[in-house]
Every structure is written in C-alpha cells, then in structure tokens.
Amino acid sequence: MLRRNNIVERILLVILGLALTVNASANNSFSFDEIKGKITGKVVDSATHLPVSYATISIFKVNNPSPVNGVVSDDNGAFTLTNVSEGSYRIVVNFIGYRKKSINNIAISKTSAEVSLGTIFLSPSTNQLKTVEIVSKAPIVENKIDKQIYNVANDLTSQGGSAADVLPKLPQVTVDIDGNVSLQGNSNIQFLINGKPSSIFGASLADALQSIPASQIKSIEVITSPGAKYDANGTGGIINIVLKESRIEGVNGSVNLSAGTRRENGSLNLNIRKGNFAVNAFFNGGEQINSTTINKTNRLSYNGARDTSTNLAQNGSSNFTRGGYQSGLSLNWDISRKDQLTISGGYNYFENHNYGLTSQDQTANDLTNNTIASDVQSLRNSDSRFAGKYFDYSAAYKRTFAKENQELDILINSSNGNNQSNFSQQQTYLTGGYPPSGSIGNNPGKDHETEISVDYTQPFSKKFTIETGAKATLENINNTVVTDTLKNGLYVPNTNQTYGFNYNRKVYAAYLSATFALFGDFINGKAGLRDEYTNTTADFPGTNIPGYNIVAPSAVLSHQLDESQSIKLSYTYRIERPDYGSLNPFYNVSDPHNISAGNPNLKPEEGHNYEFGYSKNFQQGANIYIGLYYRYNTNDEQTYTTFYDSLKVNGTTYSNVSFTQRANIGTETTEGLSLFASLPVTKQFSLRSNMNFSDRITTNPGNPTVSGFIYRINLNATYEFGNDLIAEIFGNYNSSQRTIQGTRPIFAFYNAAIRKQFMKKKISIGLTATDPFNKYINQKSTTAGPNFYQSNLREVPFRSFGITLAYKFGKLEFKKDKKDDNNNLPDNPDGGGGK
C-alpha cells in the first residue's frame, strides 16, 4: 500500500506543478479581484421562431479583428460565454444559410458582470444553396465538465470501418482484438445509442459494434463520471454513440460504400426538414468476410491423488464470418414554439458463424514410474451460429417554458429482440478405441425491454438549477435450451441439458441533482443523488435472487483558471448488475475440455470512482487533457477458471476439464493516469495522441494479491496536401495485462488512409490499409491455478485493404414562408436583443 500511495503522490505533484506552471505563464491569470463576466443569449430563426442549434457565437474585443473566445449554441439555441474579462466587446453570431448578426458595445464591468442578450434573431438568406461547404470544423476531441466527445466525422482512418474501429481512438478507451471494450481499465460499461439503451447490445456487444458503420456516427461521448440523471449501472462508466442527423432545412442525404479484403459495408442517409416538421431515415449494412484464425492450446495439469500429470494439446483453426444491417426512421414535429414531439423506430439484424477443426492429443504420465500411462488422440469438429433480430421504437415529448432552460421531457423507449443460437460438436477418437461423442444444441430466445422516464429542469437563477426525474425499466427474457447427445451413432434428446427459463428484472429509479456556481463563478459544479431499487426473478433451478436498493451520489466541481484552461474534480458511485448471461447456470459444453456456466449467486459489483482532470487550449489550436483517476470496487466480478480431472454435468462425466465461471472475488483498486494531446505542427500537419497508464490491484481472499501495471499508447498523424487531398496514419499499442490467474495478450496494430474530395466536396474517394505487412497478429495468453497451467496462442488475420466512396446530395432551402410557419407555431417570440 505504501508503494501505491507514493505513486499517487508523485503523479499528483507532477500534475499540480504542471497546472501551476501553465497557469502562471498564461496572459490572464485568475485573481479574486479580477472581473470574470458572463454573456448569455438565445439564437432563434426570425421566420419560424425555432431555435438555431450549433450556431457559432464569437466574441471580439473592440478594435481587435481576432476572436478571443467562442461557443456554439445548444439544442435549444441557448449559449453562455463565461470568464469574460472586464472590457468592451462585440459579439458575432453566424450559421450557414443565415445572415451574419453583429451586436456591438457590450461592456463587462464590476457593476455589470453578467450581460443577457436575450433572443437573437437570425434572418435566413434569400438564396437557395445547391451545395454547402463548411470551412470550420469541430475539434476531434472536446472536453466537457462531465464527458469527452470524439467527433467521428473528422476521423479519416476509420472510414469504411465500424464503431469497433473508432472506439480504440477515444480517450481512456481500450479495445482488444476480439472487440472487448474497457474504459479506464474497466469493462463494465453501459452502451447507449443517442442517449438511449438498445437491445442490440444485450446479446453480443462485439456484433452490435461491428454492425454500426463509422460513416453513420456523428460523435461518441465518453462519460467517466455520470451524473444522477444517468442510470447507476456500469462501474466503468457510459459510452454514448450519437448517430448522424441533419438539422438543416431542405432535403439532403449521403451515400457511403466501402469494399475491402476483410470488411464491406454501406450506408444511406436521407433528411427532410421543412418548417416545423422533419424526417430522418437511414439504412446501413456490413459484412466481415470469412477469416481463418489459427489456435494452439497446451494445458498441463496434475492429479495429486493418483500422482499423475496430463498434458492436453489442442491445435486447429476456426473460420469466422459476421454480418448485419440496421435501419431507422425518425419523425420530428415542432407542435409549437414550446412543444416538440419525436417518434422513432428502427430494425436491426446481425449474425455470425464460427466453424473449424481441432486436433487433440491428451497424454497422461505416471509421475511415480515416469512412464506414459495413456495417449488419446482425437479430432473435434465444431460449428456455432448466432442470429438476432431487434426492433427499437421510442416516443419523446419536450416542453419548454417562458423561463430559459426550464424544460419537461417525457420518454417512452422500447426494444424487442429475437435471437437464435445453435452449436454442434463431435469428437472422433483416433486411438484408444473410444466411440465418437458429441452434442448439438438449439437456443432460441426473446428479449423485451421498456423504459419510461420523466425529467424536469427548473432554473431558479442563472447560477442555480434543479433537475429531477423518475424512471422505470422493465426487462423480460424468455429462453429455451434444447440439447441432443450422440449415442450409438445417433443424436438423442438429453433431458438433463434441455430446459427453458423466464427472466424478469425491474428497476425503479428517482433522482435529484443541482447545477450551481459558488464564489461568483470561481467554482461551477453539479451534484446529485439517485435512488434505484432492483427486483429480479428467474426460474433457474434452485435460484432465488434477492431484491436490493442503492443510493448513488455523484458530484463534479470545475474551476476555470482562465479563458483557456480549467480543472475538475469528480466522484461517482456506480454498480454493475449481473446480467442474465452471467446468472444463467446453463453449462456450455461445446468444447468438452473447456466448459463454462453462469453463476446465479452473483451479487452486484459496487464501485467508487474519483477523477481529477486538467485541460488547456492554446491559441494556435493545440489542446491537452490530463486526468488522474482512482477506482475502488467491492464484490468485484471476475472470471475464474478451475481445473477438474473429471467433472459431472447433468448426469454426464467429462474428463480433463477447465471450468470457467464468474464470481464476486474480493476487491479491485485501479490507479491511473490518462493523457490526451492534439498539436497542429503546421497548417497542413497535425498530431494527436492518447495515452493511458494504470496499476490494477486485485485481492482474492485466501490467495496472493495481484498487482498488474498496464498501459495503452496511440498516435495519429494527419497531413493536408491541399486540393482536398488528405492523408492519415494511426498506430495503437495495448500492453500485456496481468490477471488474477494469468496474463492477457499484447495488441498492437497500425492503419493508414488517404482521401480525395471532388465536386466541391460532394464526392470523396478513400483508400485504407491496416497492418499491410503482417498477415497475422499473435495473441499469447496464460491461465494458471493450483493444479494446472495453460498457454494459448491465437494467430488472428488482421491485415486488410479497402476502398471507400462517399456522396452527399441534396438541395438546401433556407427561404421560409413566414405566414405558414406562424400558423403552425402560434406563439409569438419574446422580445430581446437582435430583433
């Protein structure tokens, strides 16, 4: 413990020293006597009286042609410029398709530190635009008080890929070669799409992430310190995938196609917006082309009672394919200036197929006489398939009020899933005279989840706002397991391995949180409490899952050191509810030497997460983020493997078996450092890097404490040649990781891309390459226990080449019929600046 404390103290001293050094050198260092003002306002379309989202608001000092700061308006058109020094300013509001608006003679002083510009009306331009070129673009990573936002549209090397290809580039996120995702070293993550859960993540996270093309994603939000408004589930945090949606008037869309040696996909987006009504539709699909992975496993085990050792060597290959598609339709109706209704639905499908042949050689040795007791050689054919169909639909109502930021939101979200999995395995013995053995299984299932939530926001002043709400989550899963066993050359029903179950979980939640400013604007913060009660019933044999209630506090405090740098400190309490897959006691015997099952006695994992962050933006566009985090989990849920010389499963005895099951094992402590930096070296050349270093300490009562240092480093370089030609290269390295029973493998890769745009950026063609000089990536791992040691080598084909084509189409109409719009939106706008 002393060593770990020293590490934390040294890191804290380094960060504190860096923050003080940068702050001391800044042009406008903070002091209690210095005036730090605030300018607020709301941007509205003068014709429709609808909010203008993502308008650019720039602030200029008088007689200075360069802006000193800037923000964009939110979904309600509102904006806030904070930490404005004393002086006279000019505000410029701009958005494509509208005339630029300037507001002059804005004074910040001791007597007028807060200035409200009221409602600023932008007038639509009178021209019809056939094509639109947006010169400015959002930074690739944005640091917010409670999250980091990765803007996927600016990511070149992920073109033609999927969400799984984008995630390794996110700050604090690590992805292994199988698509397993961890956030700050924790794999218990809650995934959302557009802020809502989806049933597609329930059956197979890797398949779901592979089914979402990168071209369909606008941004991905990394939320390591979720507030009380978010569900408390997920000790690692939340990753929210935000899909593209057009907010511009008119008809427009895009088509993206990609073909490659490892993956092919395509997507179509169509957006129609006229006045107070909008329709957004999309369809995308993708396929991972057949690839063959080579597998080599050696396990040495000991039987002390008989004084023998057994060596099992398994060598084989497996062929894998994956595919799927998604579709969605969203209807948005601005009933009035204050009422908005959104109805959306989507249908998703994905599948995978894995089959292969494995040769097995099981040798038993008599340690007393140092002789070979037996040598059994066999061949195992295996085949598994999975297919899932999912339908999501939601209805959302938003009501705004005369008071700015006062808001009522009602959401009903529902998901229905139908999935089917099948497996077969058969062993043919080449020696020993044993008859063939095998089994086939059929596993259909249904998943239905409904969420109903109500959220209300009440601002009492510009410095104090209350949020409150309630939510009910109802989940039902029906599953049937049918297994046949090979006997005398025929497959006959195995009643011990055939059953069905019904799983129900209900979560009822309520929360209260407050957003506030202390000591003027010296500290801005958000704090809250969330209460959740969980009731789970399942007719697993001999299972009784007790209900439980948790109270989850959260808080985040931030301080703006000056206009370019800030610090934050946060705490969140999170839990990880075991899902039905972890609880289901069904035995998976698709490989009789490696059997797994769920554990119905699992308890929720509890996590306490602390984080300190520092961010700095430089005048030339460079920015850095430095984060320290400390996580302490109890009832830590880990996968644990036990070796059995023989294991009886539902009436059948299996020999030489590694049995894997999840269990609540002691505690886990993670201390880490996260670094992000973006540097525009020249106008054409820029660099970006993410680094994460952590030490994870796991205690397991009765066993030695395990401490493992892990790190992840990546580097992204972009060069713009001019004439709409751009190139990018990305490299990633995940270190090996020590676990409670062994090691996980190193994962390193790199990819490169080049893109050329034509016809005023309406058409683009790109080329991509991933690990072009390495056919395989080697994945070496080990697992050990008191009486066994196992090593595994997988040679995974990762090399790929691809070509992508993107086309943007549409005619954007900004001219409005004011009379018609006023009929649909009867409320008159409030008065304000800029009218």
Side-chain angles (χ1 to χ4, degrees):
M1 182 63 70
L2 179 61
R3 181 183 64 83
R4 299 204 304 271
N5 289 340
N6 287 337
I7 292 174
V8 174
E9 290 173 2
R10 291 175 183 175
I11 295 176
L12 283 171
L13 289 174
V14 171
I15 300 300
L16 181 59
L18 177 61
L20 293 174
T21 301
V22 176
N23 188 34
S25 63
N27 293 328
N28 298 311
S29 60
F30 181 86
S31 70
F32 283 97
D33 296 330
E34 185 179 359
I35 299 300
K36 290 293 183 181
K38 179 190 294 185
I39 300 173
T40 60
K42 186 174 183 179
V43 185
V44 169
D45 186 307
S46 64
T48 66
H49 305 145
L50 294 175
V52 178
S53 306
Y54 305 109
T56 302
I57 297 92
S58 303
I59 181 170
F60 299 78
K61 281 196 172 183
V62 174
N63 300 324
N64 189 340
S66 300
V68 296
N69 202 353
V71 295
V72 295
S73 58
D74 61 18
D75 289 341
N76 298 316
F79 67 88
T80 301
L81 288 159
T82 58
N83 294 289
V84 183
S85 302
E86 186 174 5
S88 297
Y89 296 92
R90 172 173 59 96
I91 293 288
V92 175
V93 183
N94 192 20
F95 188 67
I96 189 160
Y98 292 87
R99 297 193 184 106
K100 186 183 297 184
K101 186 80 175 182
S102 296
I103 304 172
N104 302 316
N105 302 320
I106 301 171
I108 297 294
S109 64
K110 292 182 180 180
T111 58
S112 181
E114 296 187 8
V115 176
S116 175
L117 301 179
T119 304
I120 301 171
F121 292 95
L122 291 187
S123 300
S125 62
T126 58
N127 297 325
Q128 292 184 356
L129 303 181
K130 293 184 179 180
T131 60
V132 177
E133 179 180 348
I134 301 176
V135 177
S136 61
K137 60 182 180 181
I140 194 75
V141 174
E142 298 179 71
N143 293 306
K144 304 294 184 180
I145 186 173
D146 60 344
K147 59 189 173 185
Q148 290 179 294
I149 302 173
Y150 186 85
N151 293 299
V152 180
N154 299 332
D155 185 345
L156 190 61
T157 52
S158 294
Q159 60 180 342
S162 65
D165 299 304
V166 178
L167 287 170
K169 302 181 180 182
L170 272 62
Q172 308 184 84
V173 175
T174 302
V175 183
D176 68 16
I177 199 167
D178 297 313
N180 300 308
V181 185
S182 61
L183 179 55
Q184 291 183 344
N186 191 318
S187 60
N188 297 326
I189 304 169
Q190 183 182 13
F191 276 85
L192 306 174
I193 294 181
N194 293 333
K196 296 175 289 187
S198 174
S199 58
I200 67 170
F201 293 127
S204 173
L205 175 62
D207 283 334
L209 294 175
Q210 287 282 1
S211 71
I212 305 175
S215 59
Q216 188 65 37
I217 304 172
K218 173 190 172 186
S219 62
I220 301 181
E221 299 174 347
V222 178
I223 309 172
T224 55
S225 303
K229 188 175 182 178
Y230 292 98
D231 291 342
N233 192 52
T235 53
I238 295 173
I239 293 179
N240 181 31
I241 299 174
V242 182
L243 302 181
K244 290 180 178 178
E245 180 184 10
S246 174
R247 296 178 179 271
I248 301 175
E249 192 81 6
V251 180
N252 63 94
S254 64
V255 178
N256 294 270
L257 300 172
S258 67
T261 58
R262 190 165 60 96
R263 183 172 178 81
E264 298 175 339
N265 62 45
S267 66
L268 169 65
N269 292 271
L270 178 64
N271 310 291
I272 304 172
R273 181 176 289 270
K274 181 66 176 178
N276 60 333
F277 190 77
V279 178
N280 300 95
F282 73 87
F283 177 87
N284 61 63
E287 179 182 9
Q288 181 175 323
I289 299 172
N290 181 58
S291 60
T292 301
T293 298
I294 300 172
N295 301 285
K296 299 177 182 179
T297 300
N298 278 278
R299 183 174 67 220
L300 180 63
S301 57
Y302 298 91
N303 187 319
R306 296 201 301 265
D307 201 20
T308 60
S309 68
T310 302
N311 186 77
L312 174 66
Q314 295 177 302
N315 295 284
S317 62
S318 60
N319 298 279
F320 184 77
T321 60
R322 171 188 280 142
Y325 60 85
Q326 292 181 302
S327 61
L329 178 67
S330 176
L331 307 176
N332 184 279
W333 179 26
D334 294 307
I335 304 170
S336 72
R337 188 166 58 90
K338 297 178 181 178
D339 300 274
Q340 184 183 86
L341 178 66
T342 301
I343 299 175
S344 62
Y347 179 76
N348 314 300
Y349 171 84
F350 52 78
E351 63 180 2
N352 64 55
H353 183 201
N354 194 348
Y355 61 96
L357 177 67
T358 302
S359 65
Q360 303 178 128
D361 187 357
Q362 180 175 299
T363 306
N365 296 280
D366 187 331
L367 299 180
T368 302
N369 300 321
N370 195 25
T371 59
I372 297 177
S374 65
D375 186 358
V376 179
Q377 299 177 16
S378 61
L379 292 176
R380 180 169 61 88
N381 278 284
S382 61
D383 190 297
S384 64
R385 297 175 183 267
F386 173 84
K389 304 174 183 178
Y390 307 92
F391 179 60
D392 299 336
Y393 54 92
S394 67
Y397 169 74
K398 176 183 286 188
R399 168 72 176 180
T400 58
F401 300 87
K403 193 166 189 177
E404 187 176 358
N405 296 326
Q406 185 182 2
E407 186 176 293
L408 172 68
D409 293 277
I410 301 174
L411 173 65
I412 300 175
N413 185 63
S414 188
S415 299
N416 291 278
N418 289 274
N419 56 70
Q420 178 82 37
S421 61
N422 302 280
F423 83 89
S424 67
Q425 65 86 18
Q426 181 173 327
Q427 293 191 119
T428 303
Y429 294 90
L430 306 179
T431 62
Y434 300 99
S437 64
S439 60
I440 57 176
N442 180 28
N443 181 203
K446 294 182 178 180
D447 182 0
H448 178 66
E449 182 174 340
T450 299
E451 288 189 342
I452 304 172
S453 63
V454 179
D455 300 282
Y456 178 71
T457 303
Q458 175 65 58
F460 289 93
S461 68
K462 293 181 178 179
K463 296 184 179 181
F464 185 70
T465 299
I466 288 289
E467 290 182 273
T468 187
K471 182 177 181 180
T473 302
L474 313 175
E475 184 179 9
N476 175 258
I477 297 175
N478 292 291
N479 214 305
T480 302
V481 180
V482 179
T483 306
D484 294 343
T485 302
L486 183 63
K487 288 185 178 181
N488 300 321
L490 297 175
Y491 282 97
V492 297
N494 184 336
T495 56
N496 291 325
Q497 283 283 94
T498 299
Y499 65 94
F501 69 83
N502 186 45
Y503 172 92
N504 287 277
R505 184 168 69 185
K506 300 178 177 66
V507 181
Y508 304 100
Y511 74 93
L512 179 67
S513 68
T515 304
F516 52 85
L518 301 175
F519 312 112
D521 280 326
F522 183 71
I523 293 178
N524 290 283
K526 192 169 187 176
L529 280 175
R530 185 178 184 89
D531 185 274
E532 290 188 352
Y533 175 74
T534 303
N535 180 62
T536 305
T537 59
D539 54 5
F540 301 142
T543 299
N544 181 25
I545 305 173
Y548 50 89
N549 188 82
I550 62 106
V551 177
S554 61
V556 57
L557 302 175
S558 71
H559 168 55
Q560 198 81 18
L561 298 172
D562 59 26
E563 295 177 359
S564 64
Q565 55 184 336
S566 64
I567 56 175
K568 72 172 184 179
L569 180 65
S570 67
Y571 165 78
T572 55
Y573 173 87
R574 309 281 295 169
I575 66 169
E576 179 64 26
R577 298 186 187 91
D579 60 20
Y580 84 97
S582 298
L583 295 169
N584 185 3
F586 169 71
Y587 288 87
N588 183 347
V589 293
S590 57
D591 179 355
H593 292 295
N594 294 279
I595 298 175
S596 62
N599 180 2
N601 297 314
L602 281 176
K603 300 177 182 179
E605 181 179 305
E606 301 177 52
H608 302 268
N609 305 336
Y610 303 84
E611 186 173 358
F612 171 80
Y614 167 79
S615 62
K616 167 71 176 177
N617 297 319
F618 297 89
Q619 289 185 351
Q620 301 302 319
N623 61 82
I624 61 171
Y625 175 81
I626 304 171
L628 283 172
Y629 57 88
Y630 175 87
R631 295 172 173 268
Y632 178 73
N633 294 347
T634 57
N635 286 332
D636 188 48
E637 189 179 317
Q638 295 276 357
T639 298
Y640 195 82
T641 300
T642 306
F643 175 78
Y644 294 93
D645 186 57
S646 64
L647 178 66
K648 192 172 185 179
V649 177
N650 294 327
T652 302
T653 301
Y654 299 91
S655 62
N656 197 19
V657 175
S658 287
F659 176 63
T660 301
Q661 191 175 44
R662 296 187 71 82
N664 297 112
I665 299 175
T667 65
E668 180 181 275
T669 302
T670 303
E671 302 162 344
L673 170 66
S674 177
L675 301 172
F676 167 80
S678 179
L679 175 64
V681 181
T682 67
K683 289 184 178 180
Q684 293 79 29
F685 182 57
S686 62
L687 295 173
R688 187 173 71 250
S689 180
N690 282 309
M691 292 177 279
N692 193 79
F693 307 90
S694 63
D695 187 22
R696 188 169 70 180
I697 304 96
T698 303
T699 64
N700 181 10
N703 294 278
T705 297
V706 176
S707 177
F709 180 76
I710 56 175
Y711 60 94
R712 191 282 303 268
I713 299 175
N714 65 40
L715 180 65
N716 196 98
T718 304
Y719 191 86
E720 299 185 24
F721 294 93
N723 298 318
D724 296 325
L725 179 65
I726 185 172
E728 188 171 281
I729 187 168
F730 172 79
N732 183 84
Y733 182 88
N734 296 349
S735 72
S736 176
Q737 180 178 346
R738 187 179 178 188
T739 67
I740 57 174
Q741 286 189 284
T743 59
R744 292 179 183 169
I746 295 170
F747 177 37
F749 70 94
Y750 67 96
N751 50 35
I754 187 167
R755 183 182 67 190
K756 171 67 176 176
Q757 293 177 306
F758 306 90
M759 296 178 61
K760 298 182 179 179
K761 299 186 178 181
K762 289 176 63 176
I763 296 177
S764 66
I765 298 177
L767 300 174
T768 61
T770 300
D771 265 25
F773 303 108
N774 299 301
K775 184 177 181 179
Y776 294 101
I777 289 181
N778 293 331
Q779 296 281 278
K780 299 178 181 179
S781 60
T782 61
T783 306
N787 58 344
F788 78 99
Y789 177 85
Q790 178 173 304
S791 63
N792 179 260
L793 170 63
R794 289 193 307 151
E795 298 178 21
V796 183
F798 206 68
R799 180 172 62 186
S800 67
F801 302 91
I803 182 171
T804 65
L805 172 66
Y807 172 62
K808 298 178 183 179
F809 62 89
K811 186 176 182 181
L812 307 184
E813 170 71 73
F814 290 99
K815 187 176 182 179
K816 309 286 193 306
D817 188 333
K818 188 170 183 178
K819 181 178 178 181
D820 291 341
D821 287 334
N822 284 336
N823 288 334
N824 291 327
L825 304 172
D827 294 340
N828 293 321
D830 300 329
K835 185 175 180 177

